Amino acid sequence: MEYSKEFKAALSAFSGAEKDKLIFRLLRKDKLLSKKLYFELIDPETTDDKRNAMEEEVSEKVLLASKYIGNTKYFLTVIRKISAEITEHVKITTDKFGDVSLNLLMINAILEYNNDLSRQRFDNVYKLYIYLINKVFKSLILIKKLDEDYWIEIDEFLKDTRKKISENHYLQKLCINNGLDLQWLECDQIPEDIDRLMKEMKTQGYLR
């Protein structure tokens, strides 16, 4: 939304008390903005601190969710909630590295249960696998936007992802069918136009 000069001038004319009242009213309605401002203004924890805490939380929550892996519909619901928490962390801290590392950590933690997943009927795990493939694609797109100084750390996550996918026959086959080349799971092997490739696959009806 564009704000006119007149509107900005009217806001500037508010007294300090009026501005404070307006800010607190807005913060009560927007919890995410409230958390973001708290983090930026007075939170003693750094982005790294927050990311480290999120790493533990993601690992613990996937471990707890694994008890329900036989009910893949419910399991995927829980995984989506964990993903939403990662998204909130990124919005609050603007943690671009964490946006990649935490999502790959989540994927790798889920694939720790390859044996349990492999025992499920393919129709039951299909949506979960498509969800994971989409997550990998989006992570690769984000990696291309990261400073290359992060690539060594990210490659460790990708190496684990590639290994785990390779150990899951149906997931590996689904990756191939949906245009995800496992050779790309190394930072310097990611195509420059990875975002276009993903869009093309979606346009053709894949990744869903």
Side-chain angles (χ1 to χ4, degrees):
M1 178 179 176
E2 290 290 332
Y3 298 113
S4 66
K5 290 180 181 178
E6 293 79 12
F7 181 62
K8 290 178 181 177
L11 287 177
S12 298
F14 279 4
S15 68
E18 287 173 320
K19 285 179 183 176
D20 289 347
K21 187 176 179 181
L22 179 61
I23 288 170
F24 286 119
R25 186 184 300 167
L26 290 171
L27 291 179
R28 278 196 296 271
K29 292 184 178 180
D30 192 334
K31 296 292 176 63
L32 186 61
L33 177 60
S34 180
K35 290 178 182 179
K36 184 173 177 60
L37 283 177
Y38 178 85
F39 173 72
E40 291 177 353
L41 297 173
I42 60 170
D43 197 329
E45 291 189 316
T46 65
T47 299
D48 287 348
D49 294 333
K50 297 282 188 187
R51 187 191 312 124
N52 291 337
M54 276 301 299
E55 286 175 358
E56 290 184 19
E57 197 169 325
V58 168
S59 297
E60 287 173 8
K61 289 191 173 180
V62 172
L63 175 62
L64 289 171
S66 68
K67 297 175 183 177
Y68 307 99
I69 216 162
N71 183 347
T72 48
K73 186 175 180 181
Y74 178 73
F75 179 71
L76 181 54
T77 300
V78 176
I79 295 303
R80 288 183 188 278
K81 287 180 181 176
I82 298 170
S83 177
E85 289 177 21
I86 294 173
T87 300
E88 182 177 288
H89 161 81
V90 173
K91 285 182 178 177
I92 291 169
T93 62
T94 62
D95 182 8
K96 294 180 181 178
F97 174 75
D99 201 3
V100 176
S101 67
L102 291 169
N103 276 293
L104 290 177
L105 174 69
M106 181 182 73
I107 292 166
N108 294 341
I110 293 167
L111 295 181
E112 281 288 335
Y113 301 96
N114 262 334
N115 288 338
D116 295 322
L117 291 169
S118 298
R119 285 196 287 269
Q120 309 298 317
R121 285 180 52 192
F122 182 64
D123 335 353
N124 293 340
V125 290
Y126 177 81
K127 284 189 177 179
L128 172 65
Y129 287 172
I130 288 293
Y131 176 81
L132 294 178
I133 294 169
N134 272 284
K135 280 286 181 187
V136 173
F137 255 117
K138 287 173 185 175
S139 295
L140 297 181
I141 290 169
L142 291 172
I143 289 167
K144 295 302 289 183
K145 297 176 183 178
L146 276 180
D147 190 297
E148 292 185 16
D149 289 344
Y150 291 114
W151 283 13
I152 293 175
E153 289 180 74
I154 294 296
D155 269 336
E156 289 302 311
F157 287 101
L158 289 176
K159 184 179 178 182
D160 194 23
T161 306
R162 182 174 175 176
K163 178 177 178 291
K164 286 182 165 71
I165 291 176
S166 299
E167 291 169 351
N168 185 319
H169 173 72
Y170 288 116
L171 177 55
Q172 184 177 12
K173 191 172 179 180
L174 208 52
C175 284
I176 295 167
N177 292 346
N178 285 271
L180 179 61
D181 189 335
L182 297 191
Q183 299 295 324
W184 298 343
L185 299 184
E186 188 175 337
C187 290
D188 60 8
Q189 296 298 316
I190 303 171
E192 291 296 330
D193 59 346
I194 183 69
D195 52 345
R196 181 187 64 79
L197 293 172
M198 184 180 184
K199 284 176 187 173
E200 280 187 1
M201 293 306 295
K202 289 203 168 203
T203 301
Q204 294 170 30
Y206 295 97
L207 295 171
R208 57 182 70 166

